[in-house]
Amino acid sequence: MNVLILHDDVPADSAPDALDLLAQVDAVRAALVQTGHVASVIACSLDLASLERNLLSERPDVVFNLVETLGSRGRLCPLVPLLLESQSVPFTGNGSAPTFITANKLTAKRLMRGSNLPTADWIEIDRSRRHLPTHAVGGGAFPRSATWIVKSVWEHASIGLDEDSVVSVETREALEREIERRLPALGGEGFAEKFIDGREFNLSLLEDPRSPGVPEILPPAEIVFEGYGAEKPRVIGYRAKWDESSEEYKRTVRRFDFPREDAQLIDRLRGVARRAWEVFGLSGYARIDIRVDGRNEPWVLEVNTNPCIAPDAGFAAALGRAGISYAGAVDRIIRCAIERRIAPSLPHDASEPR
């Protein structure tokens, strides 16, 4: 097949999280060639008219969509699947609807809350009433004893997130000020989520073209915080993900082996991940990040519709653990896109009987 790989336009002086995308492009292209496909590559910018012309010129059998941002803005990434859907071009991964819903973490949390998927309480700033009281989810008085983590609404890859994002404040107003203060580093919009001080797991899911719509849940991975004392917040922040020289990068270690007493928890995490796939109407491949609190209760942190699939990332590690070759997985993702054609997945109606 003629496969066109689309990715962000990444300048040479970009940050490590953006440059990592080029490693994904190289790996996917090599895998496509290895499995007998013809691969070409286009970097996408905000010039969607040019992209549309390229699609008409290239006439690919399928697009491998690796676009995470447009113009370095995560909120614009749904525009590419929208354009592909409008052109009836088959493409890998998730459709525009789940991509948009998960790109905005608040929209994703509302869907999770409405669908009984466990997600931590949060406080957000109503931008139409900025500097006025925020909307709090969870009800009741402001929990003075709670610890919060301040996050970006739209940006992913732990942008603007590190250990100092974990804060304890006495009042809602103080928390609002913390959010406001951090907005420039968070892409302009932020919120605060109750911090779950516990274990962190990544569950990678891969659709099987022989059973369209049904994911295979790859072996769950736990990120272990090695040598973290009680005073050091357990956060997979930007340094832990991207700064290889940092202590956080060296001391956050992925593991796939679990003691027997974790068997019930792992089964439960698999169930939460499968449920998230259904609720968000996911397709192709995805990764669900989950925290587990001190009572062994899981909380979904994030639904990643376009997770990193670089050879050194967690998704590829889970493939290896499952005995699936990288090239085999890329070919499987391509074949799922062909099977699905242009029918975009829609979120599951939470009110629908199951």
Side-chain angles (χ1 to χ4, degrees):
M1 279 186 281
N2 177 22
V3 183
L4 175 60
I5 303 171
L6 297 183
H7 67 89
D8 310 18
D9 187 11
V10 182
D13 59 351
S14 295
D17 60 287
L19 292 173
D20 180 77
L21 183 60
L22 300 181
Q24 296 182 59
V25 172
D26 290 342
V28 169
R29 177 165 46 188
L32 290 170
V33 171
Q34 183 182 341
T35 48
H37 300 295
V38 176
S40 55
V41 178
I42 290 179
C44 298
S45 68
L46 289 170
D47 185 357
L48 293 180
S50 175
L51 174 57
E52 186 173 31
R53 288 193 297 274
N54 282 324
L55 289 170
L56 292 171
S57 171
E58 293 279 338
R59 295 188 177 279
D61 295 312
V62 61
V63 163
F64 204 109
N65 180 26
L66 291 175
V67 176
E68 298 175 350
T69 68
L70 283 179
S72 301
R73 282 170 276 180
R75 71 179 69 196
L76 299 182
C77 68
L79 294 178
V80 171
L82 267 174
L83 178 64
L84 295 170
E85 287 165 4
S86 74
Q87 296 295 311
S88 301
V89 177
F91 60 95
T92 61
N94 288 279
S96 59
T99 300
F100 174 79
I101 292 170
T102 56
N104 184 307
K105 298 186 185 79
L106 296 177
T107 306
K109 286 179 75 69
R110 292 189 191 102
L111 180 58
M112 285 190 270
R113 184 60 59 93
S115 304
N116 294 321
L117 268 173
T119 185
D121 288 348
W122 71 97
I123 285 182
E124 59 190 81
I125 291 179
D126 182 345
R127 292 182 66 80
S128 66
R129 302 168 62 236
R130 204 157 177 177
H131 303 301
L132 294 177
T134 58
H135 173 59
V137 178
F142 183 81
R144 293 186 176 184
S145 61
T147 302
W148 304 86
I149 182 166
V150 181
K151 296 181 171 181
S152 172
V153 172
W154 290 99
E155 302 302 328
H156 293 259
S158 293
I159 291 175
L161 191 73
D162 261 314
E163 293 170 16
D164 64 358
S165 302
V166 178
V167 297
S168 296
V169 293
E170 291 289 320
T171 66
R172 180 173 299 170
E173 290 73 20
L175 184 56
E176 291 169 13
R177 287 194 294 273
E178 278 295 326
I179 299 172
E180 291 275 2
R181 186 175 69 81
R182 295 165 190 270
L183 290 184
L186 299 174
E189 290 189 54
F191 70 106
E193 182 181 69
K194 274 190 179 176
F195 180 58
I196 306 298
D197 189 12
R199 301 169 69 182
E200 181 155 337
F201 294 84
N202 302 146
L203 281 90
S204 301
L205 299 93
L206 178 65
E207 191 176 354
D208 188 337
R210 295 168 300 182
S211 303
V214 179
E216 176 181 354
I217 301 175
L218 305 180
E222 179 177 10
I223 305 299
V224 179
F225 298 87
E226 290 188 338
Y228 275 53
E231 76 291 347
K232 189 173 177 63
R234 290 164 168 76
V235 175
I236 310 295
Y238 194 87
R239 285 194 298 273
K241 276 190 177 176
W242 305 111
D243 183 357
E244 296 183 12
S245 66
S246 71
E247 285 299 307
E248 290 79 6
Y249 184 95
K250 296 171 184 173
R251 292 163 60 184
T252 47
V253 180
R254 184 183 303 112
R255 73 162 181 171
F256 290 96
D257 295 313
F258 301 100
R260 183 177 301 176
E261 54 267 30
D262 278 341
Q264 190 173 1
L265 172 64
I266 298 300
D267 283 346
R268 194 172 176 193
L269 296 180
R270 289 175 180 274
V272 170
R274 184 178 294 106
R275 173 75 175 140
W277 177 281
E278 295 169 352
V279 165
F280 284 88
L282 304 180
S283 56
Y285 61 104
R287 194 190 72 233
I288 315 297
D289 298 337
I290 301 174
R291 277 255 165 165
V292 175
D293 66 17
R295 299 175 301 162
N296 253 10
E297 292 296 327
W299 301 89
V300 177
L301 290 183
E302 201 164 329
V303 176
N304 301 278
T305 54
N306 199 2
C308 177
I309 54 172
D312 61 349
F315 196 95
L319 288 172
R321 192 71 179 188
I324 302 172
S325 71
Y326 189 86
V330 167
D331 187 62
R332 191 160 144 178
I333 291 168
I334 287 287
R335 297 190 185 287
C336 284
I338 293 294
E339 288 292 327
R340 189 171 61 257
R341 295 292 175 179
I342 62 168
S345 298
L346 295 173
H348 172 74
D349 182 352
S351 64
E352 182 179 308
R354 301 187 59 75

mmCIF file of all heavy atoms in Angstrom, residues 48 65 76-88 91 94-97 99-100:
data_model
loop_
_atom_site.group_PDB
_atom_site.id
_atom_site.type_symbol
_atom_site.label_atom_id
_atom_site.label_comp_id
_atom_site.label_asym_id
_atom_site.label_seq_id
_atom_site.Cartn_x
_atom_site.Cartn_y
_atom_site.Cartn_z
ATOM 1 N N LEU A 48 -3.535 24.308 6.139
ATOM 2 C CA LEU A 48 -4.329 23.117 5.823
ATOM 3 C C LEU A 48 -4.683 23.048 4.348
ATOM 4 O O LEU A 48 -4.900 21.956 3.805
ATOM 5 C CB LEU A 48 -5.596 23.109 6.676
ATOM 6 C CG LEU A 48 -5.382 22.928 8.176
ATOM 7 C CD1 LEU A 48 -6.719 22.933 8.902
ATOM 8 C CD2 LEU A 48 -4.634 21.638 8.473
ATOM 9 N N ASN A 65 -1.327 8.794 10.749
ATOM 10 C CA ASN A 65 -1.428 10.111 11.383
ATOM 11 C C ASN A 65 -0.635 10.166 12.692
ATOM 12 O O ASN A 65 -1.033 9.593 13.699
ATOM 13 C CB ASN A 65 -2.899 10.447 11.653
ATOM 14 C CG ASN A 65 -3.052 11.811 12.308
ATOM 15 O OD1 ASN A 65 -2.200 12.687 12.136
ATOM 16 N ND2 ASN A 65 -4.123 11.991 13.048
ATOM 17 N N LEU A 76 -5.134 22.140 18.408
ATOM 18 C CA LEU A 76 -5.466 22.122 16.983
ATOM 19 C C LEU A 76 -5.279 20.746 16.339
ATOM 20 O O LEU A 76 -5.610 20.582 15.160
ATOM 21 C CB LEU A 76 -4.618 23.163 16.240
ATOM 22 C CG LEU A 76 -4.819 24.613 16.672
ATOM 23 C CD1 LEU A 76 -3.951 25.545 15.833
ATOM 24 C CD2 LEU A 76 -6.288 25.017 16.541
ATOM 25 N N CYS A 77 -4.782 19.769 17.081
ATOM 26 C CA CYS A 77 -4.496 18.465 16.469
ATOM 27 C C CYS A 77 -5.745 17.785 15.894
ATOM 28 O O CYS A 77 -5.623 17.032 14.911
ATOM 29 C CB CYS A 77 -3.768 17.544 17.435
ATOM 30 S SG CYS A 77 -4.735 16.994 18.842
ATOM 31 N N PRO A 78 -6.975 18.019 16.402
ATOM 32 C CA PRO A 78 -8.137 17.357 15.775
ATOM 33 C C PRO A 78 -8.407 17.834 14.355
ATOM 34 O O PRO A 78 -9.178 17.192 13.630
ATOM 35 C CB PRO A 78 -9.301 17.733 16.706
ATOM 36 C CG PRO A 78 -8.675 18.082 18.006
ATOM 37 C CD PRO A 78 -7.369 18.726 17.647
ATOM 38 N N LEU A 79 -7.782 18.953 13.938
ATOM 39 C CA LEU A 79 -8.059 19.459 12.590
ATOM 40 C C LEU A 79 -7.589 18.486 11.512
ATOM 41 O O LEU A 79 -8.202 18.407 10.437
ATOM 42 C CB LEU A 79 -7.388 20.821 12.394
ATOM 43 C CG LEU A 79 -7.938 21.965 13.263
ATOM 44 C CD1 LEU A 79 -7.153 23.242 13.018
ATOM 45 C CD2 LEU A 79 -9.418 22.184 12.958
ATOM 46 N N VAL A 80 -6.525 17.766 11.779
ATOM 47 C CA VAL A 80 -6.010 16.843 10.759
ATOM 48 C C VAL A 80 -6.967 15.664 10.532
ATOM 49 O O VAL A 80 -7.350 15.390 9.389
ATOM 50 C CB VAL A 80 -4.585 16.376 11.110
ATOM 51 C CG1 VAL A 80 -4.140 15.251 10.183
ATOM 52 C CG2 VAL A 80 -3.621 17.556 10.994
ATOM 53 N N PRO A 81 -7.392 14.943 11.586
ATOM 54 C CA PRO A 81 -8.394 13.898 11.318
ATOM 55 C C PRO A 81 -9.689 14.450 10.746
ATOM 56 O O PRO A 81 -10.344 13.779 9.931
ATOM 57 C CB PRO A 81 -8.611 13.227 12.683
ATOM 58 C CG PRO A 81 -7.979 14.116 13.683
ATOM 59 C CD PRO A 81 -6.899 14.878 12.974
ATOM 60 N N LEU A 82 -10.066 15.670 11.117
ATOM 61 C CA LEU A 82 -11.258 16.279 10.519
ATOM 62 C C LEU A 82 -11.086 16.445 9.011
ATOM 63 O O LEU A 82 -11.993 16.124 8.227
ATOM 64 C CB LEU A 82 -11.516 17.649 11.149
ATOM 65 C CG LEU A 82 -12.464 17.718 12.345
ATOM 66 C CD1 LEU A 82 -12.476 19.131 12.908
ATOM 67 C CD2 LEU A 82 -13.871 17.280 11.956
ATOM 68 N N LEU A 83 -9.916 16.924 8.610
ATOM 69 C CA LEU A 83 -9.655 17.117 7.180
ATOM 70 C C LEU A 83 -9.642 15.773 6.455
ATOM 71 O O LEU A 83 -10.225 15.632 5.373
ATOM 72 C CB LEU A 83 -8.307 17.834 6.990
ATOM 73 C CG LEU A 83 -7.885 18.046 5.532
ATOM 74 C CD1 LEU A 83 -8.868 18.960 4.812
ATOM 75 C CD2 LEU A 83 -6.474 18.648 5.466
ATOM 76 N N LEU A 84 -9.004 14.785 7.059
ATOM 77 C CA LEU A 84 -8.935 13.459 6.428
ATOM 78 C C LEU A 84 -10.334 12.853 6.292
ATOM 79 O O LEU A 84 -10.655 12.235 5.268
ATOM 80 C CB LEU A 84 -8.019 12.543 7.238
ATOM 81 C CG LEU A 84 -6.544 12.975 7.284
ATOM 82 C CD1 LEU A 84 -5.786 12.153 8.307
ATOM 83 C CD2 LEU A 84 -5.910 12.823 5.908
ATOM 84 N N GLU A 85 -11.149 13.025 7.314
ATOM 85 C CA GLU A 85 -12.525 12.524 7.232
ATOM 86 C C GLU A 85 -13.298 13.241 6.126
ATOM 87 O O GLU A 85 -14.066 12.618 5.389
ATOM 88 C CB GLU A 85 -13.221 12.709 8.579
ATOM 89 C CG GLU A 85 -12.729 11.741 9.649
ATOM 90 C CD GLU A 85 -13.125 12.145 11.057
ATOM 91 O OE1 GLU A 85 -13.847 13.144 11.221
ATOM 92 O OE2 GLU A 85 -12.691 11.454 11.996
ATOM 93 N N SER A 86 -13.072 14.542 6.005
ATOM 94 C CA SER A 86 -13.800 15.293 4.975
ATOM 95 C C SER A 86 -13.366 14.885 3.570
ATOM 96 O O SER A 86 -14.126 15.037 2.621
ATOM 97 C CB SER A 86 -13.576 16.798 5.175
ATOM 98 O OG SER A 86 -12.271 17.171 4.782
ATOM 99 N N GLN A 87 -12.129 14.382 3.459
ATOM 100 C CA GLN A 87 -11.618 13.946 2.157
ATOM 101 C C GLN A 87 -11.809 12.442 1.936
ATOM 102 O O GLN A 87 -11.356 11.899 0.931
ATOM 103 C CB GLN A 87 -10.127 14.278 2.047
ATOM 104 C CG GLN A 87 -9.826 15.768 2.069
ATOM 105 C CD GLN A 87 -10.401 16.481 0.850
ATOM 106 O OE1 GLN A 87 -10.212 16.042 -0.270
ATOM 107 N NE2 GLN A 87 -11.133 17.556 1.087
ATOM 108 N N SER A 88 -12.449 11.776 2.873
ATOM 109 C CA SER A 88 -12.677 10.321 2.791
ATOM 110 C C SER A 88 -11.375 9.539 2.623
ATOM 111 O O SER A 88 -11.308 8.558 1.893
ATOM 112 C CB SER A 88 -13.631 9.989 1.627
ATOM 113 O OG SER A 88 -14.861 10.635 1.790
ATOM 114 N N PHE A 91 -7.342 6.704 7.611
ATOM 115 C CA PHE A 91 -6.163 7.082 8.401
ATOM 116 C C PHE A 91 -6.118 6.275 9.690
ATOM 117 O O PHE A 91 -7.131 5.775 10.175
ATOM 118 C CB PHE A 91 -6.151 8.589 8.699
ATOM 119 C CG PHE A 91 -7.336 9.083 9.479
ATOM 120 C CD1 PHE A 91 -7.268 9.213 10.863
ATOM 121 C CD2 PHE A 91 -8.519 9.420 8.848
ATOM 122 C CE1 PHE A 91 -8.347 9.687 11.589
ATOM 123 C CE2 PHE A 91 -9.620 9.890 9.563
ATOM 124 C CZ PHE A 91 -9.534 10.021 10.928
ATOM 125 N N ASN A 94 -7.185 7.374 15.904
ATOM 126 C CA ASN A 94 -8.525 7.783 16.314
ATOM 127 C C ASN A 94 -9.104 8.885 15.444
ATOM 128 O O ASN A 94 -8.383 9.709 14.880
ATOM 129 C CB ASN A 94 -8.466 8.240 17.769
ATOM 130 C CG ASN A 94 -8.277 7.065 18.696
ATOM 131 O OD1 ASN A 94 -9.242 6.366 19.036
ATOM 132 N ND2 ASN A 94 -7.029 6.799 19.081
ATOM 133 N N GLY A 95 -10.440 8.889 15.349
ATOM 134 C CA GLY A 95 -11.148 9.883 14.569
ATOM 135 C C GLY A 95 -11.117 11.251 15.241
ATOM 136 O O GLY A 95 -10.582 11.432 16.339
ATOM 137 N N SER A 96 -11.728 12.224 14.569
ATOM 138 C CA SER A 96 -11.674 13.594 15.073
ATOM 139 C C SER A 96 -12.428 13.750 16.395
ATOM 140 O O SER A 96 -12.003 14.539 17.255
ATOM 141 C CB SER A 96 -12.244 14.557 14.036
ATOM 142 O OG SER A 96 -13.591 14.232 13.733
ATOM 143 N N ALA A 97 -13.531 13.020 16.579
ATOM 144 C CA ALA A 97 -14.335 13.207 17.792
ATOM 145 C C ALA A 97 -13.571 12.795 19.048
ATOM 146 O O ALA A 97 -13.412 13.605 19.972
ATOM 147 C CB ALA A 97 -15.663 12.460 17.674
ATOM 148 N N THR A 99 -10.428 12.396 19.327
ATOM 149 C CA THR A 99 -9.200 13.196 19.413
ATOM 150 C C THR A 99 -9.494 14.553 20.052
ATOM 151 O O THR A 99 -8.741 15.030 20.909
ATOM 152 C CB THR A 99 -8.598 13.400 18.010
ATOM 153 O OG1 THR A 99 -8.291 12.120 17.452
ATOM 154 C CG2 THR A 99 -7.331 14.234 18.070
ATOM 155 N N PHE A 100 -10.604 15.172 19.660
ATOM 156 C CA PHE A 100 -10.944 16.466 20.255
ATOM 157 C C PHE A 100 -11.298 16.309 21.731
ATOM 158 O O PHE A 100 -10.834 17.073 22.582
ATOM 159 C CB PHE A 100 -12.123 17.111 19.518
ATOM 160 C CG PHE A 100 -12.584 18.373 20.189
ATOM 161 C CD1 PHE A 100 -11.890 19.558 20.003
ATOM 162 C CD2 PHE A 100 -13.675 18.364 21.050
ATOM 163 C CE1 PHE A 100 -12.283 20.720 20.660
ATOM 164 C CE2 PHE A 100 -14.072 19.519 21.701
ATOM 165 C CZ PHE A 100 -13.370 20.706 21.505
#
